[in-house]
């Protein structure tokens, strides 16, 4: 068997994000599934650099969505949807996955209730890039010794240049026979 080592380039790829930015960008992608027009939020729960669970703000399974039936607003908050953090925690629970010692990557600072739920679930670190109004999250994170990291919003571009990869090529005629 002949083995050839091909050196592709020198150094690290130009667009390879650090771990925190990578997971925040995944949270941004999750937020695109949100069903409430008042706020799109995404949450990715990570342990040892592995995604445990994701969530976005959306209605309960089988219930109407804000974008079809309107928001149910109580005291300035839409109560039709669960927040991204609650949906991510519930998703982990449904699959029997522990969140003890995990990090939460969230597009927005959690509300007070979500902050308390994250703490109760065992989250030890929270990474966000924007604030949320009227929240006591930081107070509860400080009390619980949960590390809070505020980072700049990651770039919104996904760098995938199919034409530059020698082992990949686009489909001649894309099609899909599956139902999503």
């Amino acid at each position: 068997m002949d083995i050839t080592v091909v050196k592709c380039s020198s150094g690290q790829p130009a667009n390879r994000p650090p771990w925190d930015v990578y997971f925040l960008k995944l949270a941004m992608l999750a937020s695109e599934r949100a069903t409430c027009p008042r706020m799109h939020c995404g949450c990715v729960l990570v342990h040892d650099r592995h995604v445990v669970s994701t969530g976005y703000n959306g209605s309960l399974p089988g219930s109407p969505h804000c974008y079809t039936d309107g928001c149910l607003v109580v005291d300035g908050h839409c109560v039709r949807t669960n927040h991204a953090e609650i949906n991510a925690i519930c998703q982990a629970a449904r699959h029997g996955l522990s969140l003890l010692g995990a990090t939460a990557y969230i597009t927005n600072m959690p509300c007070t209730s979500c902050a308390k739920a994250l703490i109760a679930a065992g989250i030890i670190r929270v990474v966000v890039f924007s604030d949320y109004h009227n929240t006591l999250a930081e107070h509860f994170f400080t009390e619980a010794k949960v590390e809070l990291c505020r980072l700049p919003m990651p770039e919104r571009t996904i760098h995938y240049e199919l034409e530059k990869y020698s082992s990949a090529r686009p489909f001649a005629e894309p099609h899909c026979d599956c139902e999503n």
Side-chain angles (χ1 to χ4, degrees), residues 16-33:
R16 187 171 193 228
W19 287 109
D20 283 345
V21 173
Y22 170 72
F23 291 122
L24 276 177
K25 286 180 92 168
L26 290 179
M28 291 167 69
L29 183 61
S31 78
E32 291 185 5
R33 294 278 308 156

Side-chain angles (χ1 to χ4, degrees), residues 72-79:
L72 293 177
V73 180
V74 176
D75 295 330
H77 297 275
C78 179
V79 296

Side-chain angles (χ1 to χ4, degrees), residues 95-117:
H95 293 282
L97 302 171
S98 173
L99 298 175
L100 190 61
T103 297
Y105 292 89
I106 315 165
T107 55
N108 313 93
M109 179 73 79
C111 72
T112 303
S113 294
C114 287
K116 294 189 301 183

Side-chain angles (χ1 to χ4, degrees), residues 66-143:
C66 295
Y67 67 85
T68 57
D69 287 32
C71 296
L72 293 177
V73 180
V74 176
D75 295 330
H77 297 275
C78 179
V79 296
R80 185 181 296 283
T81 61
N82 271 340
H83 288 185
E85 301 91 331
I86 297 301
N87 279 330
I89 291 168
C90 290
Q91 190 67 22
R94 288 179 74 159
H95 293 282
L97 302 171
S98 173
L99 298 175
L100 190 61
T103 297
Y105 292 89
I106 315 165
T107 55
N108 313 93
M109 179 73 79
C111 72
T112 303
S113 294
C114 287
K116 294 189 301 183
L118 290 167
I119 293 164
I123 300 297
I124 62 169
R125 183 168 180 255
V126 173
V127 182
V128 297
F129 64 77
S130 71
D131 274 326
Y132 185 74
H133 66 94
N134 300 329
T135 180
L136 294 174
E138 190 167 4
H139 168 79
F140 286 107
F141 290 152
T142 300
E143 273 189 356

